[in-house]
Amino acid sequence: MKVGLPRALLFYYYDPLWQAFFHALDIETVTSGATTPHIVDNGVRNSVAEICVPIKIFCGHVVELLATDVDAVFIPRMITVEERKRFCPKFLGLPDMMRYTVPGLEGRLLDPDIQCRQESLADAQDYESLAKMLGKSGREVKRAFAVASEQWEVFRRYHRSGMNIDEAMAALNKKENPVYEPPKNEKRLTIAVLGYVYNIYDSFVGMDIIKKLRLMGADVVTFEMLDDGSVAEKLQRYSKTTPWTFTNKLLGAGYDFFEDPKIDGMIHVTAFGCGPDSMLGRLLEFIAVDHGKPFMTIRVDEHTGEAHLSTRVEAFTDMLRRKKFPVR
Amino acid sequence: MKVTFPYMGPVLAYKKLLEAVGHEVIMPQKPTQGTFDLATKYSPEFLCFPFKCLMGTYIEALEAGAEAIVTTGGDDNCRAGFYAEVHRRILASLGYNVQFFVIESLFKHPRDFIGSIRDLKGKYSWWHALGTIHFCYDLIAAMDRIQERIRILRAHEKNKGDFTRAWRDIEELFDTCYDRQDVRETEKKAWKILHSVPVELWDPKQAMRIGIVGEIYVTMEGHANQEIEETLAAMGVEVVNSQYVSHWLKQRLQILPWRKSHMEKIIAKAKPYLKLDLGGHEQENIAHMIDYWEKGLDGVIHLMPFACMPELVTQSIIPRISKDLGMPIVSLALDEQRGTANIQTRLEAFLDLAMGKKIRRAGVPGLAAR
Ligand code: SF4
């Protein structure tokens, strides 16, 4: 059996886990390539017009994989990975939506329900139905989950040590990791970049914003680098948190970053059509005002050009630098 | 305390409920263009349409003297569960000093639910509060029954606007109810009024009947859906609407486990299309589409606020459902800026299709002439 993994949405968070999982079961995997304009076009063609860009991109990757010889495309139904929070509704309906919109997917879809209380999926319970889909035994699947969550914990530890996702993935695969050399610049800045992993790390959407900022002499921090514990603790003080897992992580990270005196400014990268971000964005604006810190939103759609992003990022860093190092 | 609440569904009953526990009510006004203007000005651009409508309604009510807002919370994962939090912050930033009573789900957060009822009922006894809730439920259910009938009859009214006027009179009668006995008597009077409205004679086999499903706010509120029901009635189309507050309450408050509601029975039909509910009424909507087709309706209109997250998933699946059933379904996204022209064109195309299907399905010759 050969399983296709779309390089989109939670790929950037869970890929090491699923790779290890299928590897432990001796199942071959194929991952779609980096997002290209062609993939985006295919996604747009097979999606309803108003849906958010990341879902369109996901759809494009599914089309891409179906054109290969994979037996099934893996689209887990991500429901919960922590208590009381769920994923954005589009994740809950993702396999159904894909099944009925992408021609040829019916019959080649692997869509287990993921309903856990731990982010590492270490407490996954429903082995049997997944085992049936994969033609394995429940025990084998259970063991594969154990191996996979361990591997994923290693990946997360890399994050917390300050690596971004690209770096952590490289470290995990023992690839040569081009050590990031901060350019020599006396007037260094630290900027927090907030956004879902599939917006920041998909170079089509995020346009390598992290690299760009570093070239401009700024150190970058992201939410994955924070300890989940500290995020949860920050949020406890607020009466009500958002209903969605990752939105909530961003909100918690936002509080954390705004309070952190080391951080000079914050950029929120959001995709056109994102529902949760329409609320998160407003809350972040309020918090920014409360803390008197510079804050900028970059909203990306399928037509946004690289030049637009570069100009805005440059203007923002210039402004921060003038603020931090005033010329007398 | 002067309280207000969202303009949605049977506002009259909410007023009764709050007045019965000693609050002065500032009635929310049916949103107008002015409300939408306020809404757009003070809401984040990409928030959904119902959020904006409430934003505008709240500001108008606060300007009219309201000091507190009663609304629902809930931690379903649609944005509505988080509305109150964002409304509160925005209103505070505009300088309004307003208290929010957010009623959480009784079953998921029993303590919070009871807490908010306690705050609201103040010095009144629980007995009194429960009695009032029961009375209001009866009131809502009675009004829903009348409206359900009007949606069918209105397609055949002799003089345009008669049923709208009749409904206004009926509402006024219900406004004078103070206990369950009053509700029973008033409902009888209401039926009399309805039956006295002159209608054309019609052949039930020939009349077009269309179901409306969708997100609860835009489906229930004429101001949010460009009065689509009136448009349909004027074209002689009977309407079956899937959203009624009394149905919603009945399902939520159903505590006898062996009494399955109609909804639970039909929801199985939706599962092959959508395995889980996404936080709104998606499975219900799909179940209704299938149920309506089986009951012989001629088509379904799906209404959703522009970019509504869960309903976008439904919208994605609709072409397939429509194909499997062979039933025309049109999905319309609504917001404060969309013009009526586009909706009108799509509605007409849809009705043509439904009419064609009807003629073929029933083989009613008389229809072709219409
Ligand atoms: S969180 Fe936003 S961007 Fe992500 S799937 Fe949901 S609506 Fe789309």
Side-chain angles (χ1 to χ4, degrees):
Chain A
M1 189 180 200
K2 208 190 230 183
V3 172
L5 308 178
R7 187 183 293 270
L9 293 179
L10 293 181
F11 165 88
Y12 297 95
Y13 203 67
Y14 276 126
D15 184 59
L17 189 148
W18 295 123
Q19 291 292 358
F21 176 78
F22 287 114
H23 185 75
L25 289 170
D26 240 342
I27 292 175
E28 201 187 325
T29 57
V30 180
T31 309
S32 52
T35 308
T36 59
H38 177 70
I39 290 183
V40 179
D41 274 353
N42 272 336
V44 170
R45 197 161 312 131
N46 287 293
S47 312
V48 289
E50 295 161 23
I51 209 144
C52 62
V53 177
I55 297 280
K56 288 181 180 163
I57 292 181
F58 186 88
C59 187
H61 282 271
V62 174
V63 174
E64 192 83 354
L65 285 167
L66 285 174
T68 68
D69 63 345
V70 298
D71 299 295
V73 181
F74 184 62
I75 310 181
R77 188 178 278 99
M78 300 301 289
I79 305 169
T80 46
V81 293
E82 60 178 325
E83 258 176 276
R84 286 171 169 274
K85 300 276 166 231
R86 302 226 269 170
F87 279 89
C88 151
K90 291 172 192 168
F91 282 98
L92 269 68
L94 189 64
D96 305 292
M97 194 161 39
M98 291 299 134
R99 175 185 284 119
Y100 295 117
T101 54
V102 183
L105 182 61
E106 237 176 330
R108 280 173 86 190
L109 171 62
L110 197 60
D111 63 335
D113 290 356
I114 302 301
Q115 201 155 13
C116 294
R117 287 183 165 194
Q118 288 175 25
E119 250 201 318
S120 65
L121 315 191
D123 63 332
Q125 293 295 329
D126 184 19
Y127 309 120
E128 294 303 329
S129 61
L130 185 53
K132 210 155 85 208
M133 289 181 204
L134 294 169
K136 301 278 171 188
S137 75
R139 279 185 55 207
E140 284 171 299
V141 170
K142 183 173 179 180
R143 223 201 58 225
F145 261 119
V147 176
S149 14
E150 234 167 74
Q151 183 77 351
W152 187 78
E153 292 288 7
V154 177
F155 172 65
R156 286 290 294 146
R157 271 203 293 281
Y158 282 131
H159 276 164
R160 271 176 242 135
S161 75
M163 291 186 189
N164 71 31
I165 285 190
D166 291 335
E167 290 156 351
M169 282 204 188
L172 198 63
N173 298 328
K174 309 240 163 21
K175 282 219 200 88
E176 194 57 41
N177 206 352
V179 183
Y180 155 62
E181 282 276 359
K184 308 241 174 311
N185 190 332
E186 311 283 81
K187 301 176 171 178
R188 300 205 60 72
L189 296 169
T190 306
I191 296 179
V193 175
L194 275 186
Y196 302 119
V197 287
Y198 41 87
N199 289 335
I200 307 285
Y201 295 102
D202 186 322
S203 50
F204 186 89
V205 180
M207 300 179 215
D208 296 319
I209 185 168
I210 296 187
K211 227 184 269 164
K212 286 198 170 80
L213 284 166
R214 283 175 173 175
L215 283 175
M216 293 171 194
D219 295 318
V220 176
V221 289
T222 57
F223 85 90
E224 319 88 76
M225 298 178 189
L226 292 177
D227 201 345
D228 285 334
S230 85
V231 173
E233 195 187 306
K234 282 268 154 32
L235 285 172
Q236 244 166 31
R237 282 186 273 139
Y238 301 93
S239 57
K240 200 167 171 188
T241 50
T242 75
W244 315 282
T245 292
F246 277 93
T247 313
N248 225 31
K249 282 185 194 291
L250 293 185
L251 182 61
Y255 281 122
D256 204 297
F257 291 147
F258 277 126
E259 281 170 16
D260 185 344
K262 282 200 295 298
I263 293 189
D264 302 307
M266 182 141 91
I267 301 178
H268 179 211
V269 180
T270 175
F272 204 85
C274 174
D277 275 3
S278 63
M279 296 187 130
L280 174 70
R282 191 56 201 255
L283 292 177
L284 290 175
E285 276 168 26
F286 278 129
I287 311 170
V289 172
D290 289 349
H291 288 80
K293 270 201 187 169
F295 174 71
M296 170 172 85
T297 304
I298 295 183
R299 185 168 289 105
V300 180
D301 69 11
E302 56 264 46
H303 314 292
T304 308
E306 182 131 18
H308 170 77
L309 184 123
S310 299
T311 326
R312 294 205 49 205
V313 167
E314 220 176 292
F316 189 66
T317 42
D318 284 351
M319 185 267 285
L320 292 185
R321 202 160 270 135
R322 277 198 306 275
K323 189 166 173 242
K324 190 171 179 183
F325 308 101
V327 261
R328 262 160 294 164
Chain B
M1 197 184 323
K2 292 183 185 162
V3 298
T4 189
F5 40 81
Y7 187 90
M8 171 174 141
V11 281
L12 184 61
Y14 314 151
K15 173 179 138 200
K16 296 257 153 203
L17 187 62
L18 289 165
E19 279 177 352
V21 289
H23 294 290
E24 187 183 330
V25 170
I26 304 287
M27 269 311 250
Q29 295 305 306
K30 181 167 174 151
T32 58
Q33 191 53 46
T35 321
F36 292 152
D37 292 345
L38 275 176
T40 318
K41 187 159 171 206
Y42 295 113
S43 305
E45 183 182 355
F46 293 98
L47 251 157
C48 37
F49 186 33
F51 177 96
K52 295 183 184 175
C53 292
L54 296 196
M55 189 83 239
T57 319
Y58 287 163
I59 295 179
E60 284 174 349
L62 292 171
E63 286 300 320
E67 299 154 335
I69 292 170
V70 182
T71 183
T72 53
D75 45 10
D76 284 340
N77 59 340
C78 124
R79 275 178 280 187
F82 202 59
Y83 274 4
E85 190 62 23
V86 183
H87 279 136
R88 194 176 58 77
R89 296 209 62 156
I90 295 178
L91 289 172
S93 77
L94 295 176
Y96 291 106
N97 181 9
V98 53
Q99 192 179 350
F100 266 82
F101 292 99
V102 183
I103 302 175
E104 298 290 344
S105 152
L106 168 59
F107 294 109
K108 285 198 195 135
H109 300 281
R111 231 194 260 159
D112 293 346
F113 176 84
I114 293 181
S116 48
I117 301 292
R118 178 184 297 122
D119 291 345
L120 281 174
K121 80 175 177 57
K123 62 184 188 323
Y124 291 84
S125 73
W126 280 103
W127 188 244
H128 175 78
L130 286 176
T132 312
I133 290 175
H134 197 171
F135 151 65
C136 288
Y137 173 78
D138 279 3
L139 181 66
I140 296 174
M143 293 189 358
D144 280 354
R145 278 190 292 272
I146 305 279
Q147 274 208 309
E148 198 168 350
R149 189 68 193 146
I150 291 185
R151 292 187 154 117
I152 300 289
L153 291 176
R154 186 146 65 167
H156 310 290
E157 66 188 357
K158 262 207 175 108
N159 315 307
K160 195 169 170 332
D162 270 1
F163 278 104
T164 308
R165 277 185 288 277
W167 173 245
R168 223 177 288 139
D169 296 344
I170 291 171
E171 268 189 315
E172 263 167 39
L173 283 182
F174 276 117
D175 199 6
T176 61
C177 292
Y178 288 97
D179 58 33
R180 298 174 61 206
Q181 180 62 29
D182 289 350
V183 174
R184 273 192 293 277
E185 278 159 20
T186 308
E187 188 177 355
K188 277 193 207 120
K189 280 188 220 148
W191 284 111
K192 272 211 196 91
I193 298 182
L194 267 202
H195 292 140
S196 69
V197 176
V199 287
E200 306 276 3
L201 281 181
W202 79 95
D203 176 357
K205 267 216 236 72
Q206 296 204 1
M208 280 267 272
R209 194 175 275 197
I210 296 293
I212 295 187
V213 304
E215 185 277 332
I216 189 162
Y217 188 89
V218 296
T219 302
M220 245 172 8
E221 286 308 322
H223 66 265
N225 61 35
Q226 311 185 350
E227 305 293 352
I228 196 166
E229 295 197 17
E230 281 179 22
T231 312
L232 289 168
M235 294 165 149
V237 176
E238 301 174 352
V239 172
V240 179
N241 195 315
S242 63
Q243 299 280 15
Y244 289 98
V245 167
S246 59
H247 296 184
W248 187 85
L249 285 173
K250 206 164 158 191
Q251 263 174 54
R252 295 300 182 284
L253 300 177
Q254 180 68 271
I255 33 178
L256 307 177
W258 60 89
R259 274 187 45 193
K260 278 210 165 155
S261 65
H262 171 64
M263 202 58 242
E264 275 176 286
K265 282 184 218 141
I266 65 170
I267 215 116
K269 299 179 186 180
K271 294 244 161 97
Y273 291 104
L274 190 61
K275 191 165 171 190
L276 298 175
D277 239 332
L278 309 177
H281 306 90
E282 302 69 39
Q283 280 188 331
E284 284 174 34
N285 285 334
I286 293 177
H288 276 305
M289 291 179 201
I290 303 171
D291 187 51
Y292 286 163
W293 182 242
E294 289 171 355
K295 289 200 172 119
L297 268 68
D298 301 301
V300 167
I301 299 174
H302 172 247
L303 297 178
M304 59 182 264
F306 188 77
C308 166
M309 300 192 285
E311 293 301 341
L312 269 175
V313 176
T314 315
Q315 194 190 47
S316 304
I317 305 174
I318 279 179
R320 176 57 183 264
I321 301 173
S322 169
K323 190 165 145 240
D324 287 355
L325 296 176
M327 168 174 71
I329 308 177
V330 66
S331 174
L332 303 173
L334 303 150
D335 71 6
E336 70 281 14
Q337 286 149 18
R338 242 123 259 271
T340 40
N342 171 46
I343 295 217
Q344 191 66 24
T345 334
R346 295 196 48 208
L347 205 54
E348 277 167 18
F350 159 77
L351 288 174
D352 276 350
L353 199 67
M355 180 54 93
K357 271 264 149 61
K358 185 178 182 67
I359 295 171
R360 257 171 287 142
R361 194 184 188 191
V364 186
L367 277 175
R370 273 194 19 191

